[in-house]
Amino acid sequence: MKVHAIQTGSVKVKLAQLEAPRPGPLGVVGVLFDSSWSGWLPTYAWAIEHRDGVIVVDTGQASYLLEEVQKSLHPFLRSCAAFEIEPELEVGPQLRALGIGARDVRQVVLTHMHLDHDAGLSHFPHSTIRVAPGEIANARGVMGVLRGHLPGRWPGWFDPQSLDLVDGTYGPFAASRNLTSDGSVVAVATPGHTANHVSVIVEDGDTSVFLAGDTSYSEDLMLAGKIDGISPNAAVTAGTLARIRQFASERPVIYLPTHDPDAGRRLALRQIVPTYSRKEHHAS
Ligand SMILES: [Zn+2]
């Protein structure tokens, strides 16, 4: 099954967002007061060519974010993120360049509703959009705006399907939802970065392609169990990172966070999380 990495521009964040010096509810305060910045990080969207129809996971950045950030009064948007995106790098034009039209996209799954993941929604007027119900609730209305969401920028037709994880456990993950007729694409609960964050696993032969959203900002941070500066509950995030490590130690997993500078290369080379191969060598 072909999975495409589509880089929709880049983002810069504070170093305390990548790895919180004081994880937990005060992590976000640490981000606000941090004066050190990351380099430019990619913002990926993903497209899975499945025989049921293309599934897009996250929609990436859109060029309107540039002006939104400039005029925003929200302290986080104003001072904690910088975006780089050209209109032709948005997910729609890049999919068309791959020969995938808007009507070919059957489903769009959002790992969570942060604006660098939902800004490209307008490219998918013909698709079923699936979002975890708690994510939608948190992003809507005045509270959503206070949390830094931009509900006013959602397309007028936006009426997401509630992505209820009703299909039970999946490996170490507590809840899941099968997304295809053959069970090869599955959304799993990965709470932490947000309370209702999901990841999408593509079972491709003996390898699992793990579209991780913002469970961590890189594979190294996941392996080290580092908590990001946004996660409101450090224990929940630590539990999810431990489950991902367990999953990746039991089978070959290509782990692909949205902002990992190495994610595109790892997908192209089908490079799995190294803890699995070490275990294999150990067993032989
Ligand atoms: Zn996020």
Side-chain angles (χ1 to χ4, degrees):
M1 209 176 333
K2 181 76 186 165
V3 179
H4 300 278
I6 299 163
Q7 186 180 346
T8 61
S10 308
V11 63
K12 263 187 190 189
V13 297
K14 303 286 190 67
L15 291 182
Q17 181 167 341
L18 303 182
E19 179 184 339
R22 266 179 231 90
L26 292 178
V28 73
V29 179
V31 177
L32 274 169
F33 288 99
D34 189 2
S35 57
S36 49
W37 287 84
S38 73
W40 286 106
L41 304 173
T43 299
Y44 282 107
W46 312 95
I48 305 159
E49 291 201 46
H50 189 275
R51 64 163 187 256
D52 288 357
V54 173
I55 302 171
V56 167
V57 177
D58 286 338
T59 64
Q61 299 179 176
S63 44
Y64 75 70
L65 289 178
L66 303 177
E67 70 188 79
E68 290 292 331
V69 166
Q70 285 203 329
K71 70 182 189 202
S72 176
L73 299 176
H74 194 281
F76 205 89
L77 275 182
R78 272 184 87 84
S79 64
C80 295
F83 299 100
E84 210 173 52
I85 169 88
E86 302 292 329
E88 63 271 22
L89 292 180
E90 292 183 18
V91 64
Q94 292 212 62
L95 284 173
R96 280 197 292 284
L98 291 168
I100 298 171
R103 287 182 189 278
D104 301 322
V105 178
R106 182 83 166 269
Q107 314 181 44
V108 174
V109 179
L110 298 180
T111 59
H112 63 302
M113 295 290 286
H114 284 163
L115 42 79
D116 50 330
H117 299 253
D118 72 8
L121 273 174
S122 62
H123 295 288
F124 302 101
H126 310 295
S127 313
T128 300
I129 317 283
R130 299 189 191 280
V131 188
E135 281 293 324
I136 306 168
N138 275 338
R140 277 209 163 113
V142 176
M143 283 309 291
V145 172
L146 290 177
R147 290 187 183 99
H149 296 279
L150 299 172
R153 298 303 313 235
W154 293 342
W157 49 258
F158 181 55
D159 183 21
Q161 293 263 314
S162 182
L163 178 61
D164 297 299
L165 303 178
V166 293
D167 292 334
T169 59
Y170 192 86
F173 302 102
S176 70
R177 172 70 177 271
N178 175 27
L179 298 171
T180 57
S181 53
D182 61 359
S184 61
V185 184
V186 182
V188 297
T190 50
H193 179 75
T194 60
N196 301 281
H197 187 286
V198 301
S199 299
V200 174
I201 298 173
V202 183
E203 299 295 6
D204 190 11
D206 69 346
T207 302
S208 303
V209 180
F210 196 103
L211 306 177
D214 290 353
T215 50
S216 70
Y217 289 106
S218 72
E219 180 171 291
D220 289 343
L221 289 166
M222 178 274 289
L223 289 171
K226 299 294 187 185
I227 313 292
D228 70 83
I230 306 288
S231 289
N233 185 321
V236 170
T237 301
T240 286
L241 295 176
R243 283 184 198 95
I244 295 170
R245 287 196 299 278
Q246 185 187 336
F247 190 66
S249 71
E250 291 168 351
R251 63 173 93 191
V253 171
I254 305 171
Y255 179 69
L256 303 175
T258 299
H259 302 292
D260 188 332
D262 206 27
R265 190 192 65 86
R266 285 203 304 273
L267 176 62
L269 299 178
R270 299 190 68 78
Q271 186 177 311
I272 64 168
V273 180
T275 44
Y276 177 75
S277 42
R278 276 212 295 277
K279 190 178 168 188
E280 226 178 14
H281 286 304
H282 205 68
S284 60

